[in-house]
Amino acid sequence: MPRAPAPADTSLDPALAPVTTLAGVGPALAEALARLGIVRVQDLWFHLPLRYEDRTRITAIRDLQPGAHAQVEGRVAAVERGFRFRPQLRVAIEDDSGATLTLRFFHFRKTQVDQLAPGTRLRCYGEVRVGHQGAEIVHPQYQRVEAAGAPVEERLTPVYPVTEGLSQKRFATLTGLALRHLPDEAALELVPVGLRGGLALPSLRAALQLVHRPPADADVAALLRGAHPAQRRLALEELLSHHLSLKRLRAQVREHRAPALRGDGRLREAFASRLPFAMTGAQQRVSVEIEADIGASSPMLRLVQGDVGSGKTVVAARAALAAIEAGHQVALMAPTELLAEQHLRNLRTWLEPLGIAPLWLAGKVQGRARRSVLEAIAGDGALVVGTHALMQEGVVFRRLGLAIIDEQHRFGVHQRLALRDKGREGDSVPHQLVLTATPIPRTLAMTAYADLDVSVIDELPPGRTPVQTVVVSAARRGEVVERIRAACAEGRQAYWVCTLIEESDLLQAQAAEVALAELTAALPGLRVGLVHGRMKAAEKAEVMQAFRNGAIALLVATTVIEVGVDVPNASLMVIENPERLGLAQLHQLRGRVGRGQVASSCVLLYQGPLSALARARLEAMRESNDGFFIAEKDLELRGPGELLGTRQTGQLAFRVADLARDADLLPEVQRIGAAMLEQHAELAERLVARWIGGATRYAGA
């Protein structure tokens, strides 16, 4: 039994008391909690369960469904240790239904093997999947039970985000201690009752009690779906805090000045007259919006989103010329060398005839070449294109007026700040133009980019051909190879994209090399090339140039070609194991074909059996080429963190809210947020501090 907590200082708000005032929280535990952002008692209240495990019942093995989490009980029937490829332990258990379930372990100790002897009765919990011998659970949670009929849990078991050295059981105990310090409703509420309108939601105090300790009679199905009124009450407050935070950041950015970039139009007119095509209406509209922004003396923060091939680079080039006309420098930063080099090629083609030579700065630019570029940036260089290298020490701009960031969701917030600060002079900062080829659903943009003005290029240039997408089983691989032979015989080129579930450059490279060997043997008359993430930049560039020139007919690649590759003659793409990728990434890959005048195809070569989620993804790809439809579907299927790539950047990691599920709350969030900023600014500050705390460091990023 935990001992009663020591009485806290009564002069201290219990919410703001340090976690060390809780019983049993010493320096080591406090350090582990701090890694989770938990330093005050209040932080424990709002560190919410990721999900719930239903251990209130036992499921018969014969009733198990693939993809579901379940608790089963049975006797060990057989144990087998294997060492093919890597050590593994397989344990077969049987229950009274007569069915068998395999428990598979890749990490195990000898003592563990000894505990799992035949005849041992086990109770196991985990995710069911289909293995070679039928239903299996990989690395289940399990315990030995003496006899059938041992009591099960009486309530759902919350599962929290934890860190090394902090078990679920210990964290649940700490949460229980913290909940004892919950104040009454009046002291806890920060959203005035009058602003909540007709939302029939419980009080914040009742909501917190329920999500941390669901009672036995709680609506289990609603909790597991995240749709319980208590979860919606917390989601409303979390969404509101993010909205208020971004609105505040927007206001802070507006307090800075920026250079008013008003050029004479000379370069832009020459640029338009030399383009081999006319800009679409959407490109022209977005260009007007950008030029109005950068002509003002407050900093532009504009996101331009457009589908693959909609012509964002042309819009960015026109914006760059407006800045250069006004006597300022421009930096364009992209997340990969492939994408940055693609921009460099286009900009050189368009701008060198106008007397502007774009500079190039990437990690591989070293020695004398690097010194030369740095001197030009500090001198009269007008435009520099590069990767993360643009943010390194030693890069000093003479007069940076516009920072263009492509595929912004691949950069961490601090990286974008670092580029902006390269052009900071006193309280003046450069304008920022952010580009993305990942169309963001409206519901997501309203929340994730409340601090940005958003422009949409919603029109494809004439001549772009829709890509026909077909879904084919790996059993028909031979037919797909023949299709490549036929396309290349007609003078076309093709991609073969390899994907792996493990995020390892080494394994990805090995898979691509195996595919290269197989396809080279199957297509002896064709030159087959290879590109993967472990190749040196120079090697990659050489292969890509050969593919662009037509010297390579078939390019085997990993997902490194997702962005930044433009080969109009490539009209066929095969994606192996597409079920392993999200919709946004599949759509980006597919965008590498259909860039010329010839009808193009994308073959999704899947490995069965497919899960329901994978089937829904592939069906969405088959039925639509519309990036916004794909984005809405991706949001529905995967959630916002995956879609924005924010697992890495930390921009948008909700604890309880889900933008797809809780989209109906967003109009209320905007209404309440506007009223709070106007009438209850102090409460708004406290709400942001409660949910986000120190995470608002990226003001103006």
Side-chain angles (χ1 to χ4, degrees):
M1 284 286 293
R3 59 187 173 86
D9 183 350
T10 53
S11 67
L12 200 62
D13 180 342
L16 303 180
V19 288
T20 49
T21 59
L22 297 177
V25 182
L29 184 52
E31 187 180 329
L33 289 168
R35 289 200 295 271
L36 296 169
I38 298 170
V39 294
R40 305 162 299 181
V41 170
Q42 169 182 273
D43 299 330
L44 279 166
W45 302 340
F46 293 96
H47 194 81
L48 300 170
L50 283 169
R51 63 181 189 277
Y52 296 91
E53 294 176 350
D54 186 0
R55 303 189 189 208
T56 62
R57 58 199 170 97
I58 304 290
T59 303
I61 292 175
R62 69 182 174 205
D63 296 331
L64 293 175
Q65 297 295 319
H69 285 77
Q71 181 169 248
V72 299
E73 192 173 304
R75 289 191 179 280
V76 176
V79 180
E80 179 183 275
R81 294 174 71 175
F83 293 92
R84 192 178 175 199
F85 304 121
R86 57 175 169 167
Q88 63 173 287
L89 174 68
R90 289 195 298 272
V91 179
I93 65 168
E94 295 175 344
D95 66 3
D96 294 339
S97 71
T100 302
L101 171 72
T102 300
L103 312 178
R104 190 186 297 271
F105 301 88
F106 295 107
H107 309 288
F108 55 92
R109 300 180 302 278
K110 182 181 183 304
T111 52
Q112 194 174 356
V113 179
D114 296 340
Q115 291 171 353
L116 298 174
T120 306
R121 190 168 192 86
L122 297 178
R123 182 173 291 175
C124 313
Y125 182 90
E127 183 180 358
V128 182
R129 67 182 208 180
V130 179
H132 295 302
Q133 277 94 34
E136 70 174 23
I137 299 178
V138 176
H139 280 283
Q141 299 171 40
Y142 70 90
Q143 64 185 57
R144 294 193 295 175
V145 290
E146 294 302 320
V152 293
E153 298 285 344
E154 292 183 358
R155 59 180 67 187
L156 294 183
T157 304
V159 179
Y160 295 93
V162 291
T163 186
E164 189 178 349
L166 190 57
S167 68
Q168 289 290 335
K169 189 173 181 180
R170 186 74 189 276
F171 195 88
T173 301
L174 288 171
T175 305
L177 292 174
L179 288 173
R180 295 184 195 175
H181 294 275
L182 271 178
D184 61 27
E185 291 178 11
L188 192 62
E189 294 287 0
L190 295 179
V191 182
V193 176
L195 294 183
R196 279 183 249 150
L199 291 170
L201 297 173
S203 71
L204 183 62
R205 192 177 197 281
L208 285 170
Q209 292 277 15
L210 192 140
V211 297
H212 285 294
R213 297 291 181 270
D217 60 350
D219 184 340
V220 172
L223 274 170
L224 292 174
R225 290 198 316 274
H228 193 284
Q231 291 164 311
R232 283 175 59 77
R233 171 69 181 86
L234 293 165
L236 173 75
E237 189 160 308
E238 184 174 28
L239 289 168
L240 181 58
S241 69
H242 277 262
H243 181 77
L244 290 169
S245 169
L246 289 169
K247 286 295 187 188
R248 187 177 67 178
L249 295 182
R250 180 69 174 179
Q252 288 172 353
V253 172
R254 290 297 189 200
E255 290 172 4
H256 290 292
R257 292 184 304 107
L261 305 178
R262 301 190 193 103
D264 56 13
R266 175 180 46 84
L267 290 173
R268 281 168 285 174
E269 286 174 17
F271 173 63
S273 67
R274 288 174 173 273
L275 278 177
F277 51 82
M279 289 175 69
T280 65
Q283 286 173 313
Q284 292 175 30
R285 182 189 72 245
V286 172
S287 289
V288 168
E289 291 169 352
I290 292 168
E291 287 165 23
D293 280 357
I294 63 177
S297 57
S298 58
M300 172 177 74
L301 266 178
R302 184 168 290 276
L303 170 71
V304 173
Q305 50 173 318
D307 211 343
V308 178
S310 60
K312 294 179 296 300
T313 312
V314 173
V315 169
R318 188 178 170 91
L321 290 172
I324 292 167
E325 286 172 3
H328 281 74
Q329 292 173 295
V330 179
L332 191 159
M333 182 169 74
T336 67
E337 289 193 2
L338 267 178
L339 182 52
E341 286 173 340
Q342 181 74 41
H343 285 311
L344 183 69
R345 271 190 301 276
N346 284 330
L347 291 170
R348 279 178 173 164
T349 300
W350 296 333
L351 304 188
E352 283 182 346
L354 306 180
I356 298 166
L359 302 167
W360 168 243
L361 186 64
K364 66 183 180 184
V365 179
Q366 296 293 329
R368 186 180 301 171
R370 179 179 169 81
R371 287 194 296 275
S372 174
V373 173
L374 293 180
E375 286 171 11
I377 292 172
D380 57 3
L383 170 64
V384 58
V385 179
T387 58
H388 304 74
L390 289 173
M391 301 173 297
Q392 292 172 349
E393 280 187 45
V395 180
V396 179
F397 287 86
R398 174 181 53 84
R399 204 180 183 199
L400 182 62
L402 174 64
I404 303 172
I405 297 116
D406 197 13
E407 290 305 328
Q408 60 82 33
H409 64 279
R410 293 178 172 225
F411 288 105
V413 168
H414 65 283
Q415 293 171 316
R416 287 186 276 132
L417 274 175
L419 181 60
R420 184 197 73 175
D421 289 345
K422 288 286 183 185
R424 190 168 192 152
E425 294 180 13
D427 69 340
S428 178
V429 296
H431 297 281
Q432 289 185 74
L433 178 62
V434 173
L435 312 175
T436 180
T438 303
I440 312 296
R442 182 174 171 273
T443 51
L444 195 50
M446 280 166 62
T447 304
Y449 298 123
D451 59 329
L452 294 173
D453 296 313
V454 179
S455 296
V456 180
I457 303 179
D458 52 7
E459 182 182 355
L460 287 178
R464 286 298 302 259
T465 55
V467 179
Q468 182 192 18
T469 302
V470 293
V471 179
V472 177
S473 164
R476 296 170 58 193
R477 187 185 183 95
E479 295 173 39
V480 174
V481 172
E482 286 306 309
R483 187 167 177 174
I484 290 172
R485 190 196 308 277
C488 293
E490 294 174 4
R492 301 287 148 219
Q493 291 166 278
Y495 297 96
W496 186 286
V497 183
C498 301
T499 67
L500 265 183
I501 202 159
E502 292 93 345
E503 292 183 8
S504 155
D505 279 349
L506 175 60
L507 291 171
Q508 293 264 9
Q510 288 172 345
E513 283 163 357
V514 168
L516 173 73
E518 290 176 352
L519 291 166
T520 302
L523 299 165
L526 298 180
R527 185 177 170 198
V528 186
L530 174 67
V531 170
H532 59 69
R534 289 178 70 85
M535 291 169 66
K536 292 179 180 171
E539 292 176 306
K540 274 192 284 194
E542 186 180 335
V543 174
M544 289 309 306
Q545 191 56 48
F547 188 55
R548 264 185 223 99
N549 295 341
I552 290 174
L554 172 62
L555 182 66
V556 176
T558 58
T559 52
V560 70
I561 60 144
E562 180 186 341
V563 289
V565 180
D566 187 2
V567 181
N569 191 49
S571 63
L572 175 61
M573 171 173 283
V574 179
I575 304 177
E576 267 199 285
N577 305 310
E579 68 276 9
R580 293 173 175 170
L581 301 181
L583 269 172
Q585 195 173 17
L586 285 171
H587 183 62
Q588 289 283 337
L589 286 166
R590 178 172 62 181
R592 300 304 106 208
V593 293
R595 304 178 83 85
Q597 302 295 319
V598 177
S600 296
S601 301
C602 178
V603 179
L604 303 177
L605 192 64
Y606 72 89
Q607 190 78 44
L610 289 175
S611 68
L613 175 61
R615 191 174 291 108
R617 280 183 195 151
L618 300 189
E619 182 60 28
M621 287 291 293
R622 196 181 61 76
E623 67 181 78
S624 180
N625 278 281
D626 179 351
F628 283 91
F629 170 85
I630 295 287
E632 291 283 1
K633 201 73 180 171
D634 210 20
L635 176 60
E636 175 189 322
L637 294 174
R638 291 205 299 165
E642 292 276 2
L643 184 58
L644 289 173
T646 54
R647 292 289 172 94
Q648 288 74 42
T649 64
Q651 281 174 281
L652 193 70
F654 289 125
R655 307 178 205 182
V656 64
D658 179 293
L659 288 173
R661 186 190 64 219
D662 302 321
D664 63 307
L665 292 175
L666 291 174
E668 288 296 304
V669 164
Q670 292 186 308
R671 179 186 64 77
I672 297 169
M676 285 190 72
L677 287 171
E678 188 177 327
Q679 303 163 25
H680 306 280
E682 190 267 336
L683 289 177
E685 287 290 322
R686 287 173 60 193
L687 189 67
V688 171
R690 168 184 283 176
W691 283 91
I692 300 174
T696 55
R697 289 189 306 276
Y698 53 92

